[in-house]
Amino acid sequence: MKSQFGKKLQVLIVEDHPLDRKILLNMLSSSPIGEFETRAAASLSLAFEEIMQHRFDVVILDLNLEDSRGIDTLQKFHRKFPHLPVVINTGSYQDDLGLQAIKKGAQDYLVKGTYKSYMLVKSLYYAVERKKAEEELKTAYTHLKETQIQLIQAEKMNVVGGLASGIAHEVKNPLATIIYGVEYLGTKLGHHDDQINLTLESIKEAARTADDIIKGLLDFASLSLLKKTPENLNDVIARSLPLVRLQCDRNGIEVKKALEPQLPLIKIDKNRIEQVIVNVILNALQAMKDGGTLTIKTEAKEFSRQDNGWMDRRSKPFRSGDHVVILDIEDTGPGIKEAHLVKIFDPFFTTRRASGGVGLGLAIARTIMNNHGGHIRIMNCESGGARARLIFRV
Amino acid sequence: MSKKKILVVDDEVRFTQMIKLNLEAGGKYDVKIENNAAQAVKVALEMKPDLILLDVIMPETEGPDVVCQLREHDTLKKVPVIFLTATVTKEEVEAQQGRIGGHAFLAKPGSVDDLIFCIEQHLANAR
């Protein structure tokens, strides 16, 4: 009777040489320790089929197969099944290849003809346990990294929040002085002189604009308070567009809409999402000063792996199969510099400081989307221009 | 009808000057400015204002502290107080129907019309 040695392992032997295959099978069945259920595949493609149909704990992989050779074999394998532990079974005098495989993520390597049953079994169990520890470590690391990012983000928001109320107090007082001063002048000087009235109105408007910027800053502090109701995203878009119509006309922009007629309702704070849409569109318009086309597209679909390309690597709120509504806003401007793309959502990052940009629009937009459990990403399109994609959970 | 006496307590010197100019322009109010909140009660005792406009965030003595001090004096405790503050927005004030924590609030910057409307409302209630 075999002694107890870990759990029974499901082993896949990927080996094109029938004799080598037999040797491995014999070693496993005659081993005094461990317990195994084995299946074999003679090529990499057959191995893939086996793994699709059966569950395995560990794979013994020959690197030189009829349909794949060398270290490439391991890499193809890892790309498809990154979580399965692999022990390489390599030919004589191929220690260098074995070592290379370890560097590429194999758990161990064995050189044919140099090992016996005991060593093979130990290697297999060891591979399984080490892979498990590795995966746990990876999960812990990812979790830690996410927490760190959230902390940094929270800290940023804290700083912004503190700054916002500080600035609000310091700037609103002089603004109040300007507005009250202008109103006083209005009562004393205005009435019959159009130019004086216009001047006073302009000063007042400018002060109100400055006040709006401060309000934008204060917005950050209250972004987590959402009034969510079931909405059709197309309706929210329809409400947002009139707010940017003037700017579209001024820049000579053609607006193209490709809205899916039957969108499922999504639970959103419609005013906040309107704010996001307007912000994204205004950014697109800034990139098309001399005319162009603004394309607005909505689509309901199941989230798929291709859409993952659109996710920030560090935050993946969606899984394949999730029901989502996607809004794409695309411009025909010159696109966004790579160096700017990574910072585009940072508070206070702007390329338009000279013309009064404060760099909060997209920062607020992202915070709003995150607070909805949604996602916003901006990328350059292959056709030139930039595309903002907003993804909402249904 | 005699002019109503209004005391403005705010450390922003220029802002208080603008308030005084605007309120006195209509001929309905006499406005006294106090830029040092620590002096507010002393000045109020002498002046006996009909209404006090009070900033919230000031160095050393803050608006709510001034209100507490005013409440200690029988002659002042019924004088209506309107807070003027740069730390809330007009929308927030409206959402709270112009009162936060039981006190009237006006956001800075606001308009002179809003200010006068609010003053008149409180003077009428105090009568």
Side-chain angles (χ1 to χ4, degrees), chain A residues 172-173 176-177 180-181 183-184, chain B residues 15 18 21-22 86 108 110 112:
Chain A
K172 276 168 177 272
N173 273 313
T177 306
Y180 280 25
E183 292 205 356
Y184 177 72
Chain B
F15 175 70
M18 287 307 119
L21 278 178
N22 274 294
K108 279 189 207 172
V112 175

Side-chain angles (χ1 to χ4, degrees), chain A residues 25-169:
Chain A
L25 283 168
N26 278 343
M27 278 184 183
L28 292 179
S29 59
S30 65
S31 164
I33 54 166
E35 219 182 321
F36 307 94
E37 209 171 287
T38 49
R39 298 186 73 87
S43 69
L44 194 61
S45 51
L46 287 174
F48 288 166
E49 275 175 33
E50 281 289 333
I51 299 171
M52 302 288 241
Q53 286 164 20
H54 305 278
R55 193 190 67 81
F56 292 102
D57 296 306
V58 61
V59 176
I60 302 173
L61 182 65
D62 183 3
L63 290 178
N64 292 321
L65 302 163
E66 57 185 34
D67 56 350
S68 178
R69 300 193 72 77
I71 199 72
D72 210 27
T73 309
L74 177 67
Q75 281 169 321
K76 279 185 206 155
F77 189 91
H78 267 329
R79 263 199 297 275
K80 239 173 142 78
F81 304 103
H83 303 298
L84 252 183
V86 174
V87 172
I88 300 297
N89 192 31
T90 180
S92 326
Y93 310 111
Q94 288 192 323
D95 281 87
D96 53 338
L97 187 61
L99 208 58
Q100 209 183 332
I102 299 289
K103 284 182 189 155
K104 297 282 182 196
Q107 292 301 330
D108 200 358
Y109 80 91
L110 298 165
V111 177
K112 290 176 188 173
T114 69
Y115 59 87
K116 291 199 170 123
S117 164
Y118 179 73
M119 200 167 147
L120 171 67
V121 169
K122 215 177 79 171
S123 175
L124 291 181
Y125 274 95
Y126 181 64
V128 170
E129 291 307 319
R130 192 165 74 159
K131 186 74 179 179
K132 205 165 91 190
E134 210 175 80
E135 294 281 316
E136 277 166 11
L137 200 65
K138 219 182 269 176
T139 310
Y141 176 77
T142 312
H143 185 68
L144 195 69
K145 197 83 200 160
E146 272 165 16
T147 310
Q148 189 194 18
I149 287 165
Q150 279 167 6
L151 275 175
I152 291 171
Q153 196 58 25
E155 185 56 37
K156 269 190 191 171
M157 294 300 288
N158 230 337
V159 170
V160 171
L163 256 178
S165 47
I167 290 174
H169 188 251

